[in-house]
Amino acid sequence: DGKRASGYYYVVGTAFIRAHEDEPTRGRVLVLEYLPTKKTLTLVAEFQTNGAVYCLAPFNGRLLISVNSVVELLEWRQHTTEAAAAAAPQGRSIRGDFGSSSASSPSPSLSSSLRGGKLERIASHRGHIIAILIATHGDYFVVGDLMKSVMLLMFKEESGTIVEVAREYGNKWMTSVEMVDEKVYLGTDDNLNLYTWKRNVASINEEERQSLQVSGSFHLGELVNAIRRGSLVMRIPEDHKSSGSGVCSARRGAAAAAAGGGGG
């Protein structure tokens, strides 16, 4: 949830932009801790990537990231030896108004579990043009592609692999995605449309089960850049909390609420 006794933790994806590269070939995932009492932002750990980090999403205690055309699953693992812990980079702290930086030793208040570990890649999935969006729900997650619409994936613990469950076989340039539940998904594209997809889990035909069908389409006339679970009201009635409500934000500052029934 990003908060521990010692402070708040933030994970940031970055890219190194070079004029001679069509797409970035290097990036980083940074784990930062903010201590409100000291007003310091400290680099706890970093993970090197082979491209731009377009998106990050928590996933069952792990971290999903999209790096150019690859989706990767990262896990925090403890150092197994004192030598490995000693070799880990020391924290760097940014103080006050975050305008200046200086090297510093690890703060004693930092969580020992973070100071004694690092992010490691445990699985990856290829087959995308550029994976720019990730939305999760339970054991599944949806990837929104720059050109290839959406794909439903899951992580198999027994084999340690990410596998494709279903996809839409079409071309849509996605700008946002969200999962209503494990069977129904929302998304928008650069043609100012909102779509809903449904997974046909009851079909006896394997091809139909592996294909996401568009169950609804709406021309919004607005470029939506984010869909998030939530509500425009302060308190959600109990009988609506599991209805899959969400909020869309548009480029020109507009916001809209979307409410969906269960994924029946």
Side-chain angles (χ1 to χ4, degrees), residues 78 127 211:
Q78 297 299 112
S211 177

Side-chain angles (χ1 to χ4, degrees), residues 133-136 140-144 150-153 177-179 185 212:
L133 303 160
I134 300 175
T136 68
Y140 297 87
F141 57 97
V142 166
V143 175
V150 295
M151 180 185 296
L152 179 67
L153 302 169
V177 294
E178 183 57 280
M179 297 183 70
Y185 327 108
L212 296 179

Side-chain angles (χ1 to χ4, degrees), residues 3 14 37 43 55 95 112 116 156 167 175 199 206 211 229 235:
K3 186 177 186 300
T14 71
T37 56
L43 178 64
C55 188
R95 298 180 178 275
S112 60
K156 287 193 172 183
R167 69 164 73 186
T175 61
R199 180 181 166 210
E206 184 177 0
S211 177
R229 290 178 175 273
R235 303 178 70 88

Side-chain angles (χ1 to χ4, degrees), residues 186-202:
L186 292 172
T188 57
D189 67 3
D190 67 335
N191 286 322
L192 317 183
N193 298 314
L194 170 69
Y195 297 95
T196 60
W197 292 270
K198 188 173 183 179
R199 180 181 166 210
N200 190 358
V201 296

Side-chain angles (χ1 to χ4, degrees), residues 42-55:
T42 304
L43 178 64
V44 175
E46 64 179 81
F47 177 83
Q48 300 286 336
T49 63
N50 295 322
V53 181
Y54 282 92
C55 188

Side-chain angles (χ1 to χ4, degrees), residues 68-71 125-131 143 145 148 151 153:
N68 286 358
S69 62
V70 183
V71 175
H125 184 273
R126 300 178 181 273
H128 312 275
I129 300 299
I130 298 182
V143 175
D145 194 89
K148 294 173 62 176
M151 180 185 296
L153 302 169

